[in-house]
Amino acid sequence: MELIQQTPDLSAYLVADEVVDHHHPLVRETAARLARDAANSYVYAQAAYEFVRDTIPHSQDSGDMRVTWRASDVLEQGTGICHAKAHALAALLRAEDIPTAFCYQKFDMVHGLIAVRFNGAWHRQDCRGNKPGVDAQFSLDGERLAFALDLESNEMDYQVLYAEPHPAILRALKDAPDRPYLWKTLPTAL
C-alpha cells in the first residue's frame, strides 16, 4: 500500500501542538529516560514504541473508563485507547526529531496508529497494546500491526499520513466524558 503524506513538508511531522505536546516536561523526561540507553534513533524509536505499547494499557482491555487524548495526559494517567496511545508515541518520537504521522484503519470503528519515517520511507506502527490474538511489533521490515483487515467486511487502510490527528477523531475524544460514551461517538469512517 502506498502511503501519502497529507502535506509534502516533512517538518510538519515534527510539530508540537495541543495534542502532541512534546514540549511538556513529562514527555521530555520520558523521552530522555528512553534515549539514555538508545544507541541510535532506530533503537530509541523501538524503545518508545514498546514503552507505549506495553506500559500504558489500552483502556478497553484494562476496563479504565477515563478518556485521554493529549500525549502528556496519556503518559501521566497511564491509559488510553489506540488513538490516545498513538498521540503519546508520536510525542515521544517527535521529541527526538523522528518524523511521525497519524494514520488510520477502518474496522467497525476507526482505529488509530502511527507511521514513522526511517531510511526515506514511512513505516506504520500500531502501539495499541498486545493481548491474546494481538501481537503487534515494531518493524521497519514488513508491518506487524495489531489487526489484519477483512476486505470482505469493508475493512480498509486509509492511505493518508496526517501531520495532526484527524479532526473527527480528536473531537470525539475531547467531547467524551467516559469511554462508553466515546464508543458511541467515535467515527466509523473518515
Side-chain angles (χ1 to χ4, degrees), residues 76-89:
E76 180 184 6
Q77 296 179 37
T79 191
I81 66 165
C82 58
H83 301 287
K85 292 180 67 161
H87 300 168
L89 180 55

Side-chain angles (χ1 to χ4, degrees), residues 85-155:
K85 292 180 67 161
H87 300 168
L89 180 55
L92 290 171
L93 294 170
R94 289 181 180 186
E96 292 294 315
D97 294 319
I98 299 170
T100 307
F102 298 98
C103 44
Y104 301 94
Q105 295 177 304
K106 178 190 177 300
F107 295 104
D108 54 337
M109 287 185 239
V110 174
H111 175 61
L113 49 156
I114 62 108
V116 63
R117 189 160 178 91
F118 276 102
N119 304 324
W122 289 101
H123 307 273
R124 294 189 308 165
Q125 311 294 330
D126 191 342
C127 63
R128 177 230 180 270
N130 289 337
K131 64 179 186 174
V134 176
D135 183 28
Q137 301 294 325
F138 186 85
S139 176
L140 302 184
D141 184 31
E143 293 182 336
R144 299 279 309 274
L145 305 179
F147 305 110
L149 296 177
D150 178 1
L151 300 177
E152 292 179 12
S153 299
N154 293 322
E155 295 176 351

Side-chain angles (χ1 to χ4, degrees), residues 1 19 22 41 53 71-72 77 83 89-90 107 112 115 167 172 190:
M1 178 182 78
V19 179
H22 65 72
S41 59
R53 183 194 66 192
S72 59
Q77 296 179 37
H83 301 287
L89 180 55
F107 295 104
L190 296 179

Side-chain angles (χ1 to χ4, degrees), residues 21-104:
D21 57 344
H22 65 72
H23 54 276
H24 188 281
L26 180 56
V27 177
R28 302 304 284 176
E29 174 187 306
T30 305
R33 184 169 32 84
L34 293 168
R36 262 194 295 263
D37 297 325
N40 57 48
S41 59
Y42 173 81
V43 172
Y44 172 82
Q46 184 171 3
Y49 168 87
E50 290 173 356
F51 173 80
V52 173
R53 183 194 66 192
D54 299 343
T55 66
I56 298 171
H58 188 287
S59 58
Q60 174 72 24
D61 297 347
S62 67
D64 196 319
M65 296 299 157
R66 295 175 293 170
V67 175
T68 54
W69 55 269
R70 182 179 289 117
S72 59
D73 292 340
V74 173
L75 295 176
E76 180 184 6
Q77 296 179 37
T79 191
I81 66 165
C82 58
H83 301 287
K85 292 180 67 161
H87 300 168
L89 180 55
L92 290 171
L93 294 170
R94 289 181 180 186
E96 292 294 315
D97 294 319
I98 299 170
T100 307
F102 298 98
C103 44
Y104 301 94

